[in-house]
Amino acid sequence: MLKLEHLVKDYYTGDEIVHAIRDLSVTFRDNEFVSILGPSGCGKTTLLNIIGGLDNYNSGNLIINGRSTRDYTDKDWDTYRNHRIGFVFQSYNLIMHQTVLQNVALSMALTDVPKEEREKRAAAALEKVGLKDQLNKKPTQMSGGQMQRVAIARALVNDPEILLADEPTGALDSHTSVQIMDLLKEIAQDRLVIMVTHNPELAQSYSTRIIRLKDGEIVSDSDPAADEEEVQNARGSLKKPSMKFRTALSLSFNNLLTKKGRTLLTAFAGSIGIIGIGLIMSLSNGMQGYIDRVEQDTMTSYPISIEDNTMDMSVLMSAMMTGSDEEKQPYDGTVRSRAFADKLLGSIADTEKNNLTAFRKYLQSPEGKELKETASAIEYNYGITMHVYNEHAQGDKLVTVSPNGLMEELGMSDMISLRNQFMGGMSSSMPGSEVWKALPAEDSLRDQEYELLDGRWPESEEEVMLEVDENGEISDFTLYSLGLMNQSELVQNYRDLQAQKTDEIEPGDPVSFASDELLGMEFTLVPNSDLYRKVGDIWVNESGDEEFVADAVKEDGRTLKIAGIMKPKETSLGTPHTMGGVWYDRSLETWLRDEGKNSDIVKEQMEHKDINVFTGRKFGDSTELSAADLTPEQQMVLASMSQQELMDYMASYNDAANATYDSNLAKLGIYDEDTPTSIELYADTFEDKEKIGDLITVYNEQQQAEGNDANVISYNDTVGAMMSGVSDIINIISYVLMAFVGISLVVSSIMIGIITYISVLERVKEIGILRAMGASKRDVSNVFNAETFIIGLLSGLLGVGLTVLLNIPISLVIQKVTGVAGIARMPVAGGVILVLVELVLTMVAGLIPAQMAARKDPVQALRSE
């Protein structure tokens, strides 16, 4: 039962008050067809809107099934409209971008009725009004009468207690009007139908009760309801309507489809900022990837190297670059000295000894696990000098490949030795370096640095690799050193140049080798211990005796064969420069050590740890050799020597006088795996390299805390210090550019907010329709939030997609100019973040228009066109 008591409704228009409803009281039965007649402006529609919960009254009371509505909240009114009221309007008020079925089912979506049930009930309602075959049509494809039937089906689908019809036949012809009125009369048989009309004939023909209004008051009532007729018809607790976000998405998506062109242009405009940031991010990511590759290549070429004796290179560089620390004075006619030599010599003398035995033990322990895992590879070197010869060298001479005999022949060995003392490992790529080198112990590091061109990788210690450059070339210096070109000719030319017999050395004709000629080429390794001969009580180094060495090569040498040809891998910095050489597998060092342990000289040295086998004296006795010290047997041997041999013998003896037990074993090829001479720590990135440095610092602090100052590690990382800031510079530039481009992103988001506001203005009537069906203010807000969500998502995806496409030509142009490929690459995570950022900014920009839509007066919204 619906009851109005002393209802008053006033409107304020400027300074004037319009009294729309004046102290109106009326009671409606649960089942009747009531027509409300009266002239325009008498308050008919206002009364209908108040009954329907679209408009509020100023005073009085509206009682629904015995409950006053004075304390109704917005949610209560929404629930009331959704469950108890059905509206039929003169202008139909259908949502034009929805199908007929969707229009009718929409009110059920507000109460989360399952989709299948919604469609079933909506189809049944449409069938009831005679539109069974029109379900998928749009309202624009239907006649006025058909659209009004759709409106009636929509009003009935939730089985409301009250049907409110505002001029339902006002826009219809007479024939259609009769059909609609017949339908309303049938509906009124089991519910209350209240119709506002200007047509008294229709009211007389179909209504069971006629109420006439004038100036907001009832002037007549053909069949007033008595108080005793009041019936309580409560349905119990009703579910409060709440639109699912997917329903809001569906509404907004269908609306956007009606404006495809504008939607795409809006999305494109919104994507411009994303494209700008995306391109910067792509270039930054590509540059970072390039830097990472450079880092990895650099780290591979320049690992952290910890020597058993380390010179502080920073002091040396400071001496060379900064000069004196004294206060500078301008020239005043006096020429003053600047400290350089003292600093230079001081830096050389100020070497620190590293306890690599303790450090290696730390790396193998659980405490050093993090440092070991941070390093991509760890190489242990033992300072082993191999004696390798080429019996089949060009010319008639036995060529000493290792140690490099060419430098000895040219008289440059002393100069190279001195330079190595100053430059350390930095001289490894300069002429005079050994051409016989060790491959990385770890295959992963080998495969990272080198590429196999022909043959295979070593499968045993007697197989070695020949290194060439990217063009398959080897420097002639290396070929001479390996005996593949006539070494004697080069030496003679050099001597002629020194003797001024010629002004220059004419380069020889280029030589070439088929891979078959090189694969299988043999070298001979002689164990270090086999190059010594015992004379009396001492052992004499015979490596300078060509005849002795030749015999050792034939009798004691091990044949080594070239198994494959390799080249350095091309890196982001280009293919590394190489002079070529022969590389052996580390297992050969183990073989050399095991062979040496079985020799007489090593056994003798190990049995007498306090006696130097090369002098016959105790270690530490540095007294030079004199004739009185020689035994008769030694004197006989020396007597048979030539003068040069005797001088060599004496020099060898005196050099050995300052030796130690460990240095003697190292000279004989014997090493302890727990005592390396250097440790190389490889890292893939500068971050890892810095972390390794930090972990070494942690190790040093731990050793100092435990009182083991002798175990503190000192090392130099000049290359890392020079290149560590590159990534930071790229990141700073990228962030600054992104900040500038981000302005366009904000501007585009504001523009989307404006477009959303325009959409609100275009969909005002839709707002009124949704409110009439029971949609809350929040539901209306969500409809427009859903629209900005779709546009924001489309803008983000469009921006990222266009960025990916633009990266293709940008990368090609950069590759053509710089030779660096794939420099513009959008990171997947970055693309996702950009889409989310665009989505959030768009949603924020659309909040104000959405709130404006939610605050729209539903009555005013329904009147808009």
Side-chain angles (χ1 to χ4, degrees):
M1 179 67 70
L2 186 67
K3 188 176 183 178
L4 288 71
E5 295 180 342
H6 307 290
L7 210 65
V8 174
K9 175 64 178 178
D10 297 330
Y11 289 107
Y12 294 87
T13 57
D15 295 332
E16 297 183 1
I17 299 177
V18 177
H19 302 287
I21 302 293
R22 301 167 183 262
D23 195 24
L24 188 150
S25 297
V26 63
T27 301
F28 297 98
R29 301 177 182 89
D30 288 338
N31 297 326
E32 62 178 337
F33 191 163
V34 181
S35 290
I36 300 177
L37 299 177
S40 297
C42 69
K44 300 187 302 296
T45 301
T46 299
L47 178 61
L48 210 64
N49 289 335
I50 291 175
I51 294 172
L54 291 175
D55 209 349
N56 296 320
Y57 50 89
N58 297 115
S59 63
N61 199 2
L62 172 63
I63 301 172
I64 303 169
N65 292 332
R67 180 186 171 188
S68 173
T69 61
R70 286 174 180 169
D71 58 349
Y72 262 31
T73 63
D74 286 343
K75 278 292 184 183
D76 291 328
W77 284 117
D78 297 336
T79 304
Y80 169 67
R81 288 194 303 272
N82 186 260
H83 291 285
R84 299 185 186 278
I85 298 294
F87 285 96
V88 179
F89 303 98
Q90 176 182 351
S91 56
Y92 325 126
N93 285 345
L94 301 177
I95 300 176
M96 296 303 174
H97 57 76
Q98 298 280 88
T99 65
V100 168
L101 186 65
Q102 290 170 335
N103 267 279
V104 175
L106 185 57
S107 62
M108 291 181 287
L110 295 174
T111 51
D112 201 24
V113 176
K115 182 179 180 182
E116 186 177 344
E117 184 179 346
R118 290 203 305 264
E119 293 181 351
K120 182 179 179 181
R121 286 168 56 180
L126 287 166
E127 183 178 2
K128 188 174 181 179
V129 298
L131 294 176
K132 181 180 179 180
D133 56 345
Q134 308 289 319
L135 304 184
N136 296 316
K137 282 188 176 181
K138 294 287 181 68
T140 53
Q141 298 172 303
M142 309 182 80
S143 65
Q146 289 175 317
M147 285 192 285
Q148 195 61 285
R149 288 173 184 270
V150 174
I152 293 171
R154 180 183 62 190
L156 294 175
V157 74
N158 269 349
D159 192 23
E161 300 168 5
I162 304 169
L163 185 69
L164 304 178
D166 187 6
E167 297 283 357
T169 62
L172 304 177
D173 57 58
S174 56
H175 176 70
T176 307
S177 297
V178 170
Q179 292 178 333
I180 297 300
M181 291 305 298
D182 287 339
L183 185 57
L184 291 176
K185 184 177 181 180
E186 180 183 348
I187 294 169
Q189 291 178 4
D190 59 357
R191 75 195 69 224
L192 172 61
V193 175
I194 302 176
M195 177 181 72
V196 168
T197 181
H198 286 92
N199 192 328
E201 294 179 359
L202 288 177
Q204 292 290 342
S205 301
Y206 292 94
S207 301
T208 60
R209 178 182 175 186
I210 298 176
I211 298 175
R212 295 181 183 275
L213 293 183
K214 185 177 182 181
D215 296 331
E217 298 177 334
I218 297 177
V219 295
S220 67
D221 188 343
S222 65
D223 189 15
D227 291 342
E228 60 269 16
E229 295 182 36
E230 292 185 15
V231 178
Q232 296 298 323
N233 188 24
R235 292 186 178 183
S237 179
L238 300 175
K239 185 175 182 180
K240 293 182 179 181
S242 179
M243 182 185 292
K244 293 285 186 180
F245 192 67
R246 61 173 177 267
T247 303
L249 285 173
S250 175
L251 278 171
S252 296
F253 182 73
N254 288 333
N255 175 62
L256 291 174
L257 285 179
T258 64
K259 310 175 185 68
K260 296 185 184 70
R262 189 178 79 180
T263 300
L264 286 175
L265 285 175
T266 303
F268 176 71
S271 70
I272 291 175
I274 293 294
I275 294 172
I277 294 179
L279 289 176
I280 295 173
M281 185 180 290
S282 297
L283 290 170
S284 176
N285 178 59
M287 283 297 298
Q288 190 59 54
Y290 175 71
I291 291 171
D292 289 342
R293 295 195 300 273
V294 171
E295 287 180 355
Q296 185 170 351
D297 298 339
T298 305
M299 296 304 98
T300 301
S301 301
Y302 300 97
I304 292 178
S305 183
I306 306 174
E307 306 286 339
D308 53 358
N309 288 282
T310 302
M311 180 174 63
D312 190 350
M313 294 298 294
S314 63
V315 176
L316 177 61
M317 294 177 67
S318 175
M320 298 175 65
M321 299 176 63
T322 62
S324 175
D325 295 331
E326 298 177 0
E327 183 179 351
K328 304 299 181 183
Q329 297 180 8
Y331 177 72
D332 57 0
T334 302
V335 177
R336 293 176 289 271
S337 66
R338 173 165 55 87
F340 172 74
D342 290 342
K343 281 190 175 184
L344 183 62
L345 295 176
S347 67
I348 297 172
D350 188 17
T351 59
E352 298 183 17
K353 185 171 181 61
N354 289 320
N355 188 345
L356 298 188
T357 301
F359 189 62
R360 185 182 188 278
K361 183 179 180 180
Y362 173 79
L363 290 174
Q364 305 298 324
S365 70
E367 290 179 306
K369 181 179 180 183
E370 185 177 5
L371 200 161
K372 188 174 182 180
E373 290 179 348
T374 303
S376 60
I378 300 178
E379 294 283 311
Y380 299 100
N381 301 308
Y382 297 94
I384 300 301
T385 299
M386 291 191 177
H387 293 268
V388 182
Y389 303 90
N390 188 348
E391 296 181 81
H392 313 288
Q394 294 291 320
D396 299 329
K397 184 180 177 181
L398 177 70
V399 169
T400 304
V401 174
S402 174
N404 194 340
L406 178 59
M407 303 311 296
E408 184 74 25
E409 293 287 338
L410 294 173
M412 297 182 179
S413 56
D414 291 339
M415 180 183 68
I416 296 300
S417 176
L418 182 62
R419 185 205 61 200
N420 288 347
Q421 291 179 26
F422 276 90
M423 304 298 290
M426 296 177 64
S427 65
S428 59
S429 61
M430 300 172 63
S433 303
E434 292 298 325
V435 296
W436 189 265
K437 311 168 190 177
L439 282 169
E442 296 190 23
D443 290 346
S444 59
L445 188 59
R446 180 199 68 187
D447 295 338
Q448 184 177 318
E449 291 190 62
Y450 300 103
E451 177 182 345
L452 183 66
L453 293 179
D454 211 335
R456 67 173 187 273
W457 294 112
E459 297 177 354
S460 61
E461 60 264 20
E462 69 266 8
E463 294 185 333
V464 296
M465 299 295 296
L466 179 68
E467 181 192 18
V468 300
D469 66 13
E470 72 275 14
N471 301 314
E473 295 180 346
I474 304 178
S475 73
D476 57 356
F477 173 83
T478 302
L479 292 174
Y480 282 122
S481 299
L482 294 175
L484 298 178
M485 292 179 67
N486 196 326
Q487 193 176 105
S488 299
E489 291 181 1
L490 177 66
V491 172
Q492 186 59 49
N493 289 336
Y494 179 67
R495 289 174 179 170
D496 290 344
L497 183 65
Q498 285 185 313
Q500 298 183 348
K501 293 182 179 180
T502 180
D503 294 334
E504 59 181 355
I505 297 178
E506 293 291 337
D509 295 331
V511 297
S512 60
F513 304 88
S515 60
D516 292 342
E517 295 181 73
L518 297 174
L519 293 175
M521 179 174 288
E522 297 180 352
F523 298 92
T524 304
L525 171 64
V526 176
N528 298 19
S529 56
D530 289 348
L531 294 174
Y532 293 87
R533 178 167 59 93
K534 192 167 186 179
V535 178
D537 295 330
I538 64 174
W539 291 85
V540 179
N541 184 355
E542 299 288 1
S543 59
D545 187 330
E546 294 183 6
E547 184 178 349
F548 183 90
V549 170
D551 291 338
V553 167
K554 291 179 181 179
E555 296 175 5
D556 307 316
R558 182 173 187 183
T559 301
L560 308 177
K561 294 183 178 181
I562 296 178
I565 301 174
M566 65 180 190
K567 72 167 186 176
K569 274 191 175 179
E570 184 173 358
T571 67
S572 53
L573 297 174
T575 304
H577 173 72
T578 177
M579 297 183 68
V582 174
W583 296 72
Y584 65 87
D585 190 86
R586 294 274 183 161
S587 60
L588 193 61
E589 293 180 353
T590 304
W591 176 88
L592 189 66
R593 179 188 61 183
D594 293 341
E595 286 292 308
K597 286 182 177 181
N598 295 321
S599 65
D600 293 337
I601 184 175
V602 172
K603 289 179 180 179
E604 182 177 329
Q605 182 64 82
M606 288 183 170
E607 288 175 1
H608 304 90
K609 292 183 171 58
D610 58 335
I611 301 299
N612 186 342
V613 294
F614 299 126
T615 64
R617 298 178 178 183
K618 289 187 176 181
F619 287 109
D621 185 355
S622 58
T623 304
E624 293 190 358
L625 182 67
S626 65
D629 297 319
L630 297 178
T631 65
E633 183 180 3
Q634 290 173 333
Q635 292 178 3
M636 291 179 59
V637 172
L638 293 179
S640 64
M641 292 182 180
S642 66
Q643 183 178 1
Q644 182 61 44
E645 289 174 335
L646 182 59
M647 291 175 62
D648 291 343
Y649 175 83
M650 297 294 290
S652 174
Y653 182 98
N654 290 326
D655 286 343
N658 296 313
T660 64
Y661 173 77
D662 290 333
S663 67
N664 274 7
L665 289 182
K667 187 181 296 185
L668 296 170
I670 308 302
Y671 63 92
D672 183 355
E673 289 184 353
D674 294 331
T675 309
T677 57
S678 68
I679 300 176
E680 294 176 340
L681 301 170
Y682 290 82
D684 287 337
T685 65
F686 278 111
E687 288 76 12
D688 287 347
K689 193 170 189 180
E690 290 175 357
K691 185 177 180 181
I692 291 173
D694 293 339
L695 291 173
I696 293 176
T697 301
V698 171
Y699 167 79
N700 288 339
E701 292 173 350
Q702 177 183 332
Q703 296 301 315
Q704 289 175 330
E706 296 174 357
N708 300 323
D709 291 348
N711 292 347
V712 172
I713 294 298
S714 175
Y715 68 96
N716 293 301
D717 186 16
T718 308
V719 175
M722 289 190 294
M723 299 183 65
S724 60
V726 177
S727 296
D728 292 338
I729 294 173
I730 295 296
N731 289 335
I732 290 172
I733 294 173
S734 300
Y735 295 149
V736 171
L737 292 176
M738 285 183 186
F740 281 112
V741 178
I743 297 174
S744 65
L745 186 61
V746 175
V747 171
S748 63
S749 299
I750 295 174
M751 180 206 65
I752 291 177
I754 295 173
I755 296 296
T756 304
Y757 174 70
I758 294 173
S759 180
V760 170
L761 297 179
E762 292 174 343
R763 299 172 68 183
V764 170
K765 177 160 284 192
E766 184 179 335
I767 294 171
I769 295 169
L770 290 171
R771 296 302 305 278
M773 288 189 292
S776 65
K777 292 180 180 179
R778 181 180 178 182
D779 293 335
V780 172
S781 176
N782 281 341
V783 168
F784 292 96
N785 286 334
E787 183 168 315
T788 54
F789 177 86
I790 293 171
I791 293 177
L793 182 62
L794 183 59
S795 297
L797 293 175
L798 188 62
V800 171
L802 290 174
T803 300
V804 172
L805 290 176
L806 288 172
N807 283 340
I808 298 174
I810 290 174
S811 294
L812 292 175
V813 171
I814 294 176
Q815 182 179 359
K816 187 172 183 62
V817 174
T818 66
V820 180
I823 200 66
R825 294 181 298 169
M826 168 66 77
V828 175
V832 173
I833 291 173
L834 285 180
V835 172
L836 292 177
V837 167
E838 175 67 9
L839 198 57
V840 170
L841 289 177
T842 305
M843 292 286 289
V844 171
L847 286 177
I848 295 177
Q851 290 301 314
M852 292 174 61
R855 289 193 295 267
K856 289 284 183 184
D857 185 285
V859 174
Q860 297 297 326
L862 286 169
R863 291 175 181 170
S864 65
E865 295 296 336

